[in-house]
């Protein structure tokens, strides 16, 4: 498994050590070259000093006087520092005693004509020595030679007397063992320092990374402890690093949402279970009673079967409502939006409740003008109004009034919309109840003794309006009437709406009136009701 | 034994009441909390079968008010609420037992029976009066090894006398515990029932197990007077 701490530690260690080792290597090479250069400078200076000791007599003979006091090393046999001087014709002019009779190879002429050349070469004993070869022109006096004169400018050695003497080649060699030892010691020292740096960096990086990532580790451990039973946990945000603060805030937000969702899901599940328990208990008890005390008469059997059927229908209704709710609430809920005549939709939905309204002696006023085009899914709209009308009829007090009015209205931003208002008496409903109306299984009557309603109707209505992007609002009027307002968005830009309106008008033979209503609403004038139906109970019609 | 059933579901109320009556209980019913509370306050029920989610007055409030009024009837809560919190709340409010819907009929009857026994201090399901055995769990009666067939009403009367054996049980108490609101006992209905019961459980030549205390009531006892 990838570990940020491990990766960070390894990368920091590798990076830091690479930088440190690179710096040490650079330092080592610099010091090594510097030491070698200093050796070369010392060699060259000494070679030049030796060159200055070559004197030319007036008869042209060369003389070399070595100052043993100044350079005693050359007078010692087998001293690791020695020189040899060649005449211009390549013959050996002088050797140091430290050469112990040995012979140095005459260095080839320097390419480019430079007078000095540094190089390493093997000594007779096999060791590597550092050498410099340079050409000097002996002069009668010490200031006569010009060390840096280009080779081309130097006259050949066989020049006549009185002309410039031919140049001599001096090779000075020095055992570089001391230098190599110094370089080696320096290298080992730097390597030891690198080891120390590596150890120190390892400790520091490990500690720093561990300490630096501690808040992240604590966050991870806290997150790992969270399960479905501990969703109430919240991450601390007051003393966490700035980089983690947004994560903690976001996690807290997600936890709050998950907790709310879980609570809602549990409540929903409990509600579903509760809603099905009572009919299940009825069904089971009915079966057990009949089995324990069989009833001989056909009337009792028929009554029992009727009960079974009623219970099954009730459970079927609950399950169907639940399935509809789940379908509507799912992300991929699709609805087939078409343009419909609101009057037809309302009439179809009302049909299923008119008899119950009559039974309860309700006064029903339905005022939906002809030709009001609305956009929605035919099935969803029918179910939505069916639920709304069913609630209005069920919860209005017997002998009360239910009013349904639809109008085309001008909305803000110069848009036209269709607004339907459903109003009924509902003395049992309070302001506090309005917030709970859309909750699945919520019922004002906590006893749930109403076997006809399971409390999913308005939850379904909410799901429908969301799916169809329809506006919905509820309120309690000053006269304590419960009012639901359904707002349909503007359909003027919808060519299907215009076509449907025309078709509807043609079919109904009320084209002029219907179009007049739509035009009036579109232009913002108050639309006169095209039709007002007021009836009581079964006679109610749109 | 007399039972009050408080349940708002018409169908459940009817079915439970039917099952209890057929099992020999006298059953009164109430469809909401307020009616149930009034019945419980006005009658001495052996067992109250109580739903929690009731209109007018919820079951827990009914229970609390009943206990506050000093009523000692044993209460069996029958509800769809199944969480531990619900059960604890119900028991803390004064319930004696808790049954979650849906339930098995036999379990309901057994629990009601057990609560009714405990109401009169009996723990064993078999009550012995001399060689008379009343098995309250199987609802069977035998004497000297011979099984005795009784009607539901006769069995209820014998069971009530048996769980209170040795004590004088007044006619009013018998009426209150054996007959429910649906029956309007006539003045001699208890005497007639006792007479019929004596004929079935007594052994010829031996003294009757049910003795009459004039002006007071009846005593079921095997002890000689």
């Amino acid at each position: 498994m990838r570990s940020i701490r491990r990766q960070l530690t390894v990368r920091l260690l590798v990076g830091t050590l690479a930088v440190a080792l690179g710096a040490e290597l650079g330092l080592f090479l610099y010091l090594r070259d510097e030491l070698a250069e200093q050796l070369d400078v010392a060699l060259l200076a000494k070679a030049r000093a030796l060159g200055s000791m070559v004197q030319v007599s007036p008869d042209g003979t060369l003389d070399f006087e070595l100052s043993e006091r100044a350079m005693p090393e050359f007078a010692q046999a087998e001293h690791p520092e020695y020189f040899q001087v060649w005449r211009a014709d390549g013959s050996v002019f002088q050797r140091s005693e430290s050469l112990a009779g040995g012979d140095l190879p005459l260095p080839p002429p320097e390419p480019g004509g430079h007078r000095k050349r540094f190089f390493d070469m093997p000594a007779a004993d096999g060791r590597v020595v550092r050498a410099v070869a340079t050409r000097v022109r002996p002069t009668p006096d010490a200031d006569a030679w010009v060390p840096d004169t280009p080779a081309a400018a130097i006259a050949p050695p066989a020049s006549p007397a009185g002309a410039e003497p031919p140049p001599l080649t001096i090779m000075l060699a020095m055992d570089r063992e001391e230098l190599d030892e110094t370089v080696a010691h320096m290298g080992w020292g730097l390597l030891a320092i690198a080891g120390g740096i590596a150890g120190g960096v390892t400790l520091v990086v490990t500690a720093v990374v561990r300490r630096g990532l501690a808040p992240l580790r604590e966050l991870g451990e806290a997150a790992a402890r969270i399960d479905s039973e501990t969703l109430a946990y919240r991450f601390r945000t007051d003393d966490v690093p700035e980089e983690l603060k947004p994560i903690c805030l976001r996690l807290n937000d997600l936890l709050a949402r998950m907790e709310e969702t879980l609570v809602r899901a549990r409540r929903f599940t409990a509600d579903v279970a509760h809603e099905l328990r009572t009919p299940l208990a009825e069904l089971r008890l009915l079966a057990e009673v009949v089995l324990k005390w069989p009833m001989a008469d056909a009337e009792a059997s028929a009554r029992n079967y009727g009960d079974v059927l009623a219970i099954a229908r009730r459970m079927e209704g609950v399950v169907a409502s639940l399935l509809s709710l789940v379908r509507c609430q799912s992300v991929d809920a699709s609805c087939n939006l078409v343009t419909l005549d609101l009057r037809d939709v309302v009439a179809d939905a009302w049909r299923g409740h008119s008899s119950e309204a009559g039974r309860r002696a309700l006064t029903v006023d339905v005022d939906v003008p002809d030709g009001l085009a609305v956009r929605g899914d035919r099935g969803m709209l029918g179910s939505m109004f069916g639920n709304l009308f069913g609630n209005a009829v069920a919860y209005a007090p017997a002998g009360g009034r239910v009013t349904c009015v639809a109008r085309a209205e001008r909305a803000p931003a110069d848009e036209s919309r269709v607004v339907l208002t459903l109003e009924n008496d509902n003395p049992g409903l309070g302001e506090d109840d309005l917030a709970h109306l859309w909750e699945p299984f919520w019922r004002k009557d906590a006893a749930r003794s109403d076997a006809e309603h399971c409390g999913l109707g308005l939850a379904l209505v909410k799901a429908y309006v969301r799916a169809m992007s329809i506006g919905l609002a509820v309120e309690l009027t000053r006269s304590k009437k419960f009012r639901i307002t359904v707002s349909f968005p503007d359909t003027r830009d919808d060519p299907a709406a215009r076509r449907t309106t025309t078709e509807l008008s043609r079919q109904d033979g009320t084209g002029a009136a219907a179009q007049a209503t739509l035009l009036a609403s579109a232009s913002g004038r108050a639309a006169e009701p095209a039709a007002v139906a007021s009836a009581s109970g079964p006679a109610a019609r749109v | 034994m007399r039972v009050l059933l408080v349940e708002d579901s018409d169908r459940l109320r009817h079915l439970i009441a039917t099952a209890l009556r057929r099992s020999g209980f006298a059953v009164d019913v109430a469809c909401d909390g307020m009616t149930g509370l009034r019945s419980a306050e006005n009658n001495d029920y052996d067992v109250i079968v109580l739903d929690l989610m009731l209109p007018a007055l919820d079951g827990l409030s009914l229970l609390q008010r009943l206990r506050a009024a000093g009523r000692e009837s044993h209460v069996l809560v029958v509800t769809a609420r199944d969480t531990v919190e619900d059960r604890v709340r119900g028991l803390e409010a004064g319930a004696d037992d808790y049954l979650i819907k849906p339930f098995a009929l036999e379990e309901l009857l057994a629990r009601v029976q057990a609560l009714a026994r405990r109401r009169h201090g009996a723990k064993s399901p078999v009550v012995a009066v001399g060689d008379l055995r009343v098995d309250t769990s199987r609802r069977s009666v035998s004497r000297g090894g011979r099984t005795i067939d009784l009607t539901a009403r006769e069995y209820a009367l014998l069971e009530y006398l048996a769980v209170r054996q040795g004590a004088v049980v007044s006619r009013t108490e018998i009426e209150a515990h054996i007959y429910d609101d649906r029956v309007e006992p006539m003045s001699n209905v208890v005497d007639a029932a006792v007479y019929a019961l004596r004929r079935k459980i007594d052994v010829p030549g031996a003294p009757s197990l049910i003795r009459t205390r004039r002006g007071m009531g009846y005593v079921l006892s095997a002890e000689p007077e």
Side-chain angles (χ1 to χ4, degrees):
Chain A
M1 186 184 287
R2 295 176 64 188
S3 157
I4 294 178
R5 186 163 70 89
R6 197 175 303 131
Q7 285 187 22
L8 212 54
T9 304
V10 169
R11 288 176 185 180
L12 274 174
L13 277 176
V14 169
T16 311
L17 290 177
V19 170
L21 287 175
E24 285 208 344
L25 185 62
L27 181 63
F28 170 75
L29 293 175
Y30 171 75
L31 291 175
R32 189 194 66 180
D33 292 348
E34 196 66 21
L35 287 173
E37 192 176 333
Q38 282 180 13
L39 179 66
D40 289 349
V41 167
L43 273 176
L44 184 59
K46 196 172 270 188
R48 282 173 179 170
L50 287 170
S52 69
M53 292 176 190
V54 180
Q55 301 290 321
V56 61
S57 60
D59 59 356
T61 57
L62 296 172
D63 187 26
F64 181 76
E65 282 186 28
L66 179 67
S67 171
E68 292 188 3
R69 201 174 64 180
M71 298 179 182
E73 63 271 21
F74 297 117
Q76 299 170 22
E78 296 192 2
H79 190 273
E81 204 171 341
Y82 35 81
F83 69 88
Q84 189 166 329
V85 183
W86 290 269
R87 292 187 189 87
D89 58 1
S91 60
V92 175
F93 166 64
Q94 197 63 252
R95 285 192 184 94
S96 67
E97 290 179 22
S98 54
L99 254 176
D103 188 39
L104 294 177
L106 177 64
E110 180 68 15
H114 293 293
R115 285 185 149 224
K116 64 176 187 287
R117 182 183 172 204
F118 297 98
F119 53 91
D120 292 323
M121 66 177 192
D125 57 1
R127 289 185 298 183
V128 176
V129 295
R130 184 67 176 171
V132 61
T134 185
R135 278 184 289 178
V136 295
R137 192 178 299 276
T139 55
D141 54 66
D143 298 328
W145 64 279
V146 183
D148 289 325
T149 305
I154 299 174
S159 59
E164 281 192 342
L168 301 173
T169 299
I170 296 178
M171 179 188 284
L172 175 61
M174 184 186 285
D175 190 350
R176 57 174 300 161
E177 186 180 8
E178 192 178 344
L179 172 69
D180 289 341
E181 276 183 8
T182 304
V183 170
H185 285 152
M186 190 178 67
W188 284 115
L190 287 175
L191 203 60
I193 292 173
I197 289 175
V201 164
T202 304
L203 291 175
V204 171
V205 165
T206 306
V208 167
V209 169
R210 182 191 295 273
R211 190 179 180 81
L213 292 180
L216 196 60
R217 189 184 67 243
E218 289 164 7
L219 181 70
E221 288 171 353
R225 285 195 295 269
I226 296 173
D227 57 21
S228 62
E229 300 301 321
T230 54
L231 287 178
Y233 178 84
R234 293 293 178 272
F235 293 94
R236 294 184 64 177
T237 55
D238 49 351
D239 60 348
V240 293
E242 285 300 313
E243 292 82 357
L244 294 181
K245 205 165 189 174
I247 297 176
C248 292
L249 289 171
R250 193 67 183 155
L251 283 173
N252 284 344
D253 184 40
L254 287 172
L255 279 173
R257 289 189 195 183
M258 285 172 66
E259 186 183 16
E260 186 187 335
T261 305
L262 191 69
V263 167
R264 207 164 43 225
R266 282 179 175 161
R267 192 172 58 222
F268 184 81
T269 309
D271 284 338
V272 170
H274 182 267
E275 206 59 41
L276 292 174
R277 273 202 174 111
T278 299
L280 269 176
E282 291 173 355
L283 205 56
R284 176 171 185 163
L285 207 54
L286 180 61
E288 287 186 301
V289 167
V290 171
L291 284 172
K292 193 172 176 73
W293 296 286
M295 297 172 189
D297 61 305
E299 189 182 339
S301 295
R303 195 170 54 245
N304 290 336
Y305 286 127
D307 281 348
V308 169
L309 189 60
I311 295 167
R313 279 179 177 158
R314 181 180 171 189
M315 293 173 75
E316 186 184 349
V318 173
V319 172
S321 297
L322 278 173
L323 286 175
S324 298
L325 190 62
V326 170
R327 277 196 211 105
C328 279
Q329 288 177 336
S330 65
V331 179
D332 58 347
S334 59
C335 52
N336 181 24
L337 294 180
V338 294
T339 303
L340 301 163
D341 186 351
L342 183 60
R343 186 169 174 267
D344 291 345
V345 176
V346 169
D348 287 344
W350 175 252
R351 204 164 289 131
H353 303 282
S354 57
S355 61
E356 177 65 14
R359 196 183 67 75
R360 305 196 65 227
L362 298 176
T363 300
V364 181
D365 295 331
V366 181
D367 175 8
V368 180
D370 189 16
L372 282 183
V374 295
R375 195 116 170 97
D377 182 282
R378 188 183 296 275
M380 285 187 183
L381 275 183
S383 179
M384 183 182 93
F385 281 117
N387 277 309
L388 292 178
F389 292 153
N391 275 340
V393 169
Y395 297 115
R401 178 180 290 272
V402 176
T403 309
C404 176
V405 177
R407 291 285 182 274
E409 289 182 357
R410 167 170 280 195
D414 198 29
E415 289 180 347
S416 175
R417 64 180 181 184
V418 174
V419 176
L420 182 143
T421 306
L422 180 65
E423 201 172 274
N424 63 278
D425 297 316
N426 197 333
L429 211 58
E431 286 285 349
D432 295 341
D433 298 325
L434 297 184
H436 302 289
L437 283 177
W438 315 110
E439 294 174 8
F441 298 108
W442 183 86
R443 273 180 285 181
K444 175 69 178 173
D445 174 21
R448 299 165 183 263
S449 48
D450 173 15
E452 298 302 317
H453 296 83
C454 63
L456 285 172
L458 289 182
L460 266 172
V461 168
K462 183 184 174 187
Y464 288 147
V465 298
R466 274 191 179 174
M468 294 185 288
S469 301
I470 294 172
L472 186 72
V474 291
E475 62 180 316
L476 279 178
T477 64
R478 286 182 181 175
S479 54
K480 295 293 176 191
K481 285 183 182 296
F482 177 60
R483 178 187 293 164
I484 292 183
T485 305
V486 185
S487 308
F488 294 91
D490 192 7
T491 57
R492 282 181 305 171
D493 296 332
D494 181 11
R498 287 197 292 273
R499 189 168 61 249
T500 306
T501 305
T502 310
E503 287 169 1
L504 287 169
S505 306
R506 197 177 299 126
Q507 286 166 8
D508 292 352
T510 56
Q515 288 199 3
T517 304
L518 278 179
L519 287 171
S521 61
S523 60
R525 296 194 304 271
E528 290 298 321
V532 178
S534 177
S536 293
R541 57 191 170 83
V542 180
Chain B
M1 301 292 181
R2 191 167 178 184
V3 175
L4 171 64
L5 170 62
V6 191
E7 168 64 61
D8 61 328
S9 161
D10 293 340
R11 201 170 283 118
L12 267 185
R13 191 172 62 245
H14 169 73
L15 289 167
I16 295 174
T18 301
L20 287 171
R21 285 191 185 110
R22 298 223 175 187
S23 300
F25 292 99
V27 183
D28 293 339
V29 294
C31 60
D32 62 71
M34 285 309 297
T35 310
L37 181 64
R38 276 197 298 273
S39 296
E41 286 175 340
N42 295 332
N43 298 284
D44 182 24
Y45 292 104
D46 296 298
V47 179
I48 298 174
V49 179
L50 180 67
D51 186 15
L52 286 187
M53 298 172 80
L54 294 166
L57 179 70
D58 70 272
L60 279 182
S61 301
L62 186 157
L63 195 50
Q64 285 161 349
R65 288 167 68 167
L66 199 64
R67 295 303 186 217
R71 289 289 178 180
E72 295 298 324
S73 299
H74 282 178
V75 175
L76 169 62
V77 168
V78 177
T79 179
R81 290 181 179 173
D82 67 335
T83 64
V84 173
E85 292 80 11
D86 287 330
R87 277 178 272 178
V88 169
R89 210 176 296 130
L91 294 170
E92 285 178 348
D96 297 277
D97 204 353
Y98 205 96
L99 193 58
I100 293 165
K101 296 175 185 174
F103 48 82
L105 175 62
E106 292 300 334
E107 185 178 0
L108 172 78
L109 295 175
R111 285 176 188 264
V112 172
Q113 188 66 53
L115 288 178
R117 274 202 314 272
R118 276 159 49 192
R119 176 80 202 282
H120 300 286
K123 289 185 179 175
S124 169
V126 179
V127 183
V129 184
D131 59 350
L132 180 74
R133 297 281 186 276
V134 181
D135 188 337
T136 57
S137 62
R138 301 173 63 180
R139 311 188 71 75
S140 63
V141 178
S142 64
R143 184 165 188 189
R146 179 177 59 88
T147 302
I148 301 170
D149 290 327
L150 299 177
T151 65
R153 184 62 51 78
E154 289 167 350
Y155 173 82
L157 174 59
L158 178 61
E159 185 188 72
Y160 186 60
L161 292 173
V163 295
R164 299 190 60 187
Q165 62 176 298
V168 178
V169 183
S170 69
R171 288 181 177 78
T172 310
E173 284 178 307
I174 292 173
E175 284 173 2
H177 286 269
I178 306 303
Y179 301 97
D180 55 34
D181 284 343
R182 301 194 312 174
V183 178
E184 188 59 48
M186 295 179 295
S187 59
N188 66 342
V189 69
V190 174
D191 296 334
V194 170
Y195 174 76
L197 188 58
R198 276 179 174 147
R199 289 187 59 189
K200 290 191 177 178
I201 66 171
D202 284 345
V203 177
S208 175
L209 290 176
I210 303 173
R211 292 155 198 165
T212 305
R213 293 282 185 271
R214 290 201 182 277
M216 296 170 70
Y218 299 96
V219 178
L220 177 68
S221 176
E223 300 295 321
E225 287 189 273

